[in-house]
Amino acid sequence: MAETARTPVSHRRPDGGSDPADPRSRYGNRPTMKDVAARAGVGLKTVSRVVNGEPGVTPDTERRVQEAIDALGFRRNDSARVLRKGRTASIGLVLEDLADPFYGPLSRAVEEVARAHGALLINGSSAEDPDREQELVLALCARRVDGLVVIPAGDDHRYLEPEIAAGVATVFVDRPPGRIDADVVLSDSFGGARDGVAHLIAHGHRRIGFIGDQPRIHTAIERLRGYRTAMADAGIDVDESWVSLGLTHPERVARAAETMLAGPAPVTAIFAGNNRVTVTVVRVLAGLPRPVALVGFDDIELADLLRPGVTVVAQDAAQLGRTAAERLFRQLDGASGPPERVELPTRLITRGSGELAPAD
C-alpha cells in the first residue's frame, strides 16, 4: 500500500494541543470532584450534592462550585455509580451501523489497538441520525471514556468542543467532522470513484449511471464528484436522469436502477456508491436479459464467486480503523500539534462485471 498523505490543518485543537506535562492527557486523569472541591474551597460532599442536583447547598456555594466545574472542565463519572473500585482506560467508538459489513473490520482493528494499549472499547451505532450520534457521544463522555473514534452522522460537532477541551482525545474516521478542527482519517472517495468510472469508460461505456447514498453524507458527495470528474475528463455530458442519491434501502435503489435501465437509451453501466447499493444493483441486473457493466465502491462478500465477478473500488476498512486508533492513542500519550487529515488510497479490483462491453 502506498504511503498515506498527512496534511496539516491550519487550526489547533480547542485546548491548543496536548501538553505531555498536563495530566489530562493521560489515561484516567481527567478532573475529579476532589479537584473541584479544592478549587471551590468546599467539601467533597458539597460538590457531590451540586453535581447530582441534591438539596442542602446555598446559592452562593452552588455558584462557586459550578464556576470551578466550568473552569476545570469536570464531567460527572456516571460509571462510578456502578463500579467504585479501580478504573480501566476506555475509549468509545461511534459507528453508523453495527450491522454494516464495512464496519466489522474497522471496529475489530480499533479494538485490537485499544487492547494493545490496555484499554477497553465501548461501541454504539448512530443509525445515521445526528441527534442520536450526539446523545451517544455525550453519554460516553459522561462515563468518562478517555478518547473517542467517531464516524460522524451530523455536520456540526461543536458540541464536542467542551469535551475535547476537558481532555477527551478525539479522532474522526471515514468522514470529516463538521465545524471543528480535529484529526480525521479518510479513504480517497473522490479518487476511487473517478478511477472506477474511468475504468468503465475505457471499456466503451458512455451512458453510465451513478447510484449513491444521501447527499448530506461526505463520502456520497465525494464519490459523485469523482463520477462527474471522470465523465467530464472523457468529454461525456451527464444526463441527470443517470444520477440518483438517497437512502440505501433496497426498494429505493432498485427503483433507481430500473429507471436508469428502462427507455430507448438506457445506461449500459452503473457505478454503485457503496456496498449496500452494489448488493441491490446485483440483484436487479440478475433479472435482465442483457449484460450491464457494474463497478461498486466497497468490496462485498462473495463478489468473486458471482458470474461475472463484481469489479469494485476497495477501501481498507481495517487500515482506516487501525490508523484512527493509533492516532487516538498518540493523543492520549501526549502528542501535540495541529489536527491532521490522513487520506488512505483505494484499490480497483477487476473481476469481470466492470469489464463487460456495452450491449449496444
Side-chain angles (χ1 to χ4, degrees):
M1 178 174 288
E3 184 177 349
T4 61
R6 291 170 172 80
T7 305
V9 177
S10 58
H11 301 293
R12 296 179 68 82
R13 296 181 182 86
D15 64 352
S18 299
D19 180 353
D22 185 347
R24 292 185 306 169
S25 67
R26 308 300 297 179
Y27 312 133
N29 285 317
R30 294 171 59 199
T32 65
M33 283 201 294
K34 188 178 292 185
D35 298 323
V36 174
R39 186 180 183 96
V42 300
L44 194 59
K45 181 60 178 176
T46 300
V47 175
S48 177
R49 285 178 177 145
V50 173
V51 168
N52 293 299
E54 298 173 359
V57 181
T58 67
D60 181 64
T61 299
E62 183 176 359
R63 177 186 55 77
R64 295 204 331 266
V65 171
Q66 192 59 55
E67 286 175 352
I69 287 172
D70 294 341
L72 293 172
F74 170 79
R75 296 293 180 274
R76 185 177 68 185
N77 184 359
D78 286 356
S79 62
R81 297 178 176 183
V82 179
L83 183 60
R84 297 287 181 180
K85 294 182 179 179
R87 184 171 188 275
T88 300
S90 59
I91 63 171
L93 172 61
V94 179
L95 301 166
E96 175 203 346
D97 183 358
L98 291 169
D100 189 327
F102 172 76
Y103 294 117
L106 188 154
S107 176
R108 178 64 181 271
V110 173
E111 184 176 25
E112 288 174 351
V113 174
R115 184 178 180 185
H117 285 81
L120 174 70
L121 177 67
I122 307 169
N123 59 30
S125 171
S126 70
E128 205 64 77
D129 181 341
D131 292 334
R132 182 166 170 177
E133 172 210 297
Q134 180 173 342
E135 179 183 355
L136 179 56
V137 166
L138 294 179
L140 289 168
C141 290
R143 284 156 179 77
R144 299 177 67 82
V145 294
D146 298 283
L148 292 165
V149 176
V150 181
I151 297 172
D155 57 8
D156 187 349
H157 293 89
R158 288 176 296 176
Y159 72 85
L160 258 172
E161 288 178 335
E163 309 302 333
I164 294 172
V168 180
T170 305
V171 177
F172 290 84
V173 65
D174 190 46
R175 308 166 187 171
R179 307 184 75 175
I180 65 169
D181 288 332
D183 280 354
V184 59
V185 182
L186 309 169
S187 290
D188 183 9
S189 285
F190 166 76
R194 180 195 58 203
D195 293 347
V197 175
H199 183 73
L200 290 167
I201 293 169
H203 283 80
H205 297 277
R206 297 185 67 81
R207 299 195 305 273
I208 302 171
F210 177 93
I211 305 177
D213 210 329
Q214 300 176 75
R216 65 179 177 80
I217 296 174
H218 170 80
T219 49
I221 293 302
E222 284 297 285
R223 292 167 196 175
L224 176 59
R225 188 167 71 88
Y227 162 83
R228 292 191 183 279
T229 297
M231 297 290 272
D233 288 346
I236 302 172
D237 292 330
V238 174
D239 186 323
E240 290 307 311
S241 67
W242 301 345
V243 176
S244 178
L245 295 179
L247 296 172
T248 56
H249 294 164
E251 296 81 5
R252 200 283 301 181
V253 173
R255 283 196 304 271
E258 289 163 358
T259 299
M260 293 177 186
L261 293 164
V267 298
T268 63
I270 292 177
F271 185 86
N274 65 28
N275 56 354
R276 286 166 290 185
V277 174
T278 301
V279 169
T280 300
V281 173
V282 166
R283 291 193 172 109
V284 171
L285 298 185
L288 294 181
R290 66 184 188 280
V292 175
L294 170 65
V295 174
F297 202 109
D298 291 336
D299 211 349
I300 59 173
E301 191 173 3
L302 305 181
D304 56 329
L305 299 181
L306 297 172
R307 291 294 178 266
V310 180
T311 295
V312 298
V313 175
Q315 54 180 332
D316 192 335
Q319 187 61 28
L320 277 171
R322 188 176 305 112
T323 304
E326 288 170 351
R327 296 198 68 80
L328 186 77
F329 280 98
R330 278 200 289 274
Q331 287 185 34
L332 289 167
D333 285 333
S336 61
E340 291 183 338
R341 176 188 178 109
V342 179
E343 195 164 86
L344 304 179
T346 58
R347 182 167 58 103
L348 182 68
I349 302 175
T350 58
R351 296 190 178 113
S353 71
E355 295 69 60
L356 295 173
D360 55 6

